[in-house]
Amino acid sequence: NPLRDDWVLVSAHRVKRPWQGQLEKPPPEDVPRWDPKNPLCPGATRANGEVNPKYEGTFVFPNDFPALQPDAPEPDDSDHPLFRAAPAQGVCKVMCFHPWSDLTLPLMSLPEIRAVIDAWAELATELGASYPWVQIFENKGAMMGCSNPHPHCQVWASSFLPNEACLEDRTQRQHLSQHGVPMLLEYAEQEAHRKERLVVENADWLVVVPYWATWPYQTLLLPRRHVCRLQDLSDSEKDSLASIMQRLLIKYDNLFEVSFPYSMGWHGAPTGAFLEQDCRHWQLHAHYYPPLLRSATVRKFMVGYEMLAQAQRDLTPEQAAERLRSLPEVHYK
């Protein structure tokens, strides 16, 4: 994986082994459209006592249980190099995609998905004016740690570059220096030509199961042109992004005919003070990490060898891409 500068063990026969392990519960099909006890619903009362407005589109509010705070205290000086600490400030926000709890992104209309993308870009611009990293991410489904079925994501802005951002910054910078072209721009061109791992594409975007995928049906969403940040997209690119997101997520749901769990997030060039620096080595992209492996109830566990040695996957990325690619683009519901 050139983006993380590490290796992935591919064991394509492992998916055939008998399974007597844990079976997951499929997500509930009877989520109420509106529940006054659900703190993300319009008009509901949240944990801090605030009442949500009766919003009709997207709704952004400060996370009531933030992992980062703008006034977090400075740590004490270390007395030894093996016991280092550094300050970490920031803000955490929650963004509801839609007022209805029984909708997910693949079931929303294109204008509704476009409104989500617009809100993402606005938050990236607003928080990126002062913070060097703005992480937009969605945990979908209880299997991925989502504590509320209402369609939503989180946005954490931090005073530091997180580990994954530092790693991608280094590898992309090295690639541009050595090859004269941004890594993921070159990679997108290669995948568009080879088509072995292509899932969906349109004039502005393509989705692939990356050559270095670790999760079974992991995908990478890439723009065709060189663009560093989400807020740099044109109106037409945001429209085509809404379309390709909908197509991908419908395929995900159709794979096992279930509301497909995943964690996804956007990575782009750092912001804050980095806005004044040369970030041409960066290429905007979104990672999708879904855990399901064999069915709606059998997931991939990243344990044992994966935790102690290196990532290992149970089918080839080409097999995963072919299976996703062949699925219909009309939602099974």
Side-chain angles (χ1 to χ4, degrees), residues 56-59 95-99 103-120 122 235 238-247:
E56 298 181 350
T58 60
F59 170 51
M95 186 181 116
C96 296
F97 295 155
H98 196 280
L103 278 191
T104 55
L105 281 170
L107 295 172
M108 289 165 54
S109 69
L110 288 177
E112 288 168 339
I113 299 173
R114 169 62 197 270
V116 170
I117 294 166
D118 287 339
W120 282 343
E122 289 168 9
D235 281 346
K238 290 175 183 175
D239 285 339
S240 57
L241 175 56
S243 173
I244 204 163
M245 282 175 54
Q246 185 188 60
R247 293 168 64 197

Side-chain angles (χ1 to χ4, degrees), residues 67-290:
L68 293 160
Q69 297 183 347
D71 55 354
E74 297 265 344
D76 295 332
D77 291 335
S78 173
D79 62 356
H80 192 281
L82 292 178
F83 299 91
R84 295 170 59 196
Q89 284 94 28
V91 296
C92 298
K93 293 182 180 289
V94 175
M95 186 181 116
C96 296
F97 295 155
H98 196 280
W100 295 356
S101 292
D102 58 344
L103 278 191
T104 55
L105 281 170
L107 295 172
M108 289 165 54
S109 69
L110 288 177
E112 288 168 339
I113 299 173
R114 169 62 197 270
V116 170
I117 294 166
D118 287 339
W120 282 343
E122 289 168 9
L123 280 170
T125 301
E126 173 195 336
L127 297 173
S130 52
Y131 287 103
W133 190 255
V134 180
Q135 184 59 66
I136 298 167
F137 66 97
E138 178 193 5
N139 294 325
K140 179 170 178 266
M143 199 182 301
M144 295 308 287
C146 183
S147 60
N148 192 306
H150 194 92
H152 72 286
C153 72
Q154 298 188 55
V155 184
W156 295 10
S158 62
S159 60
F160 55 91
L161 289 189
N163 294 343
E164 291 294 312
C166 286
L167 191 54
E168 291 192 2
D169 186 70
R170 175 175 64 80
T171 57
Q172 290 181 98
R173 189 184 299 275
Q174 287 176 344
H175 189 92
L176 180 63
S177 174
Q178 294 170 5
H179 302 280
V181 60
M183 178 198 293
L184 292 181
L185 183 63
E186 182 178 10
Y187 178 68
E189 292 169 350
Q190 285 288 320
E191 290 287 30
H193 172 71
R194 295 170 187 252
K195 298 191 182 300
E196 299 168 281
R197 289 165 292 273
L198 194 64
V199 177
V200 285
E201 63 179 328
N202 60 27
D204 300 313
W205 301 86
L206 68 158
V207 175
V208 299
V209 176
Y211 178 72
W212 52 81
T214 54
W215 293 93
Y217 293 96
Q218 176 180 334
T219 54
L220 184 65
L221 172 57
L222 293 162
R224 292 184 184 270
R225 77 171 177 97
H226 185 206
V227 54
C228 291
R229 300 178 177 93
L230 194 63
Q231 53 268 45
D232 297 335
L233 296 174
S234 67
D235 281 346
S236 62
E237 286 170 331
K238 290 175 183 175
D239 285 339
S240 57
L241 175 56
S243 173
I244 204 163
M245 282 175 54
Q246 185 188 60
R247 293 168 64 197
L248 169 65
L249 298 179
I250 285 174
K251 284 180 178 288
Y252 268 162
D253 280 10
N254 285 346
L255 179 60
F256 298 128
E257 294 195 350
V258 68
S259 183
F260 205 68
Y262 58 75
S263 285
M264 71 81 65
W266 285 99
H267 282 174
T271 48
F274 291 91
L275 293 169
E276 305 300 322
Q277 299 183 20
D278 184 358
C279 290
R280 287 176 299 159
H281 54 290
W282 272 91
Q283 174 74 331
L284 176 69
H285 58 282
H287 297 283
Y288 284 83
Y289 298 130

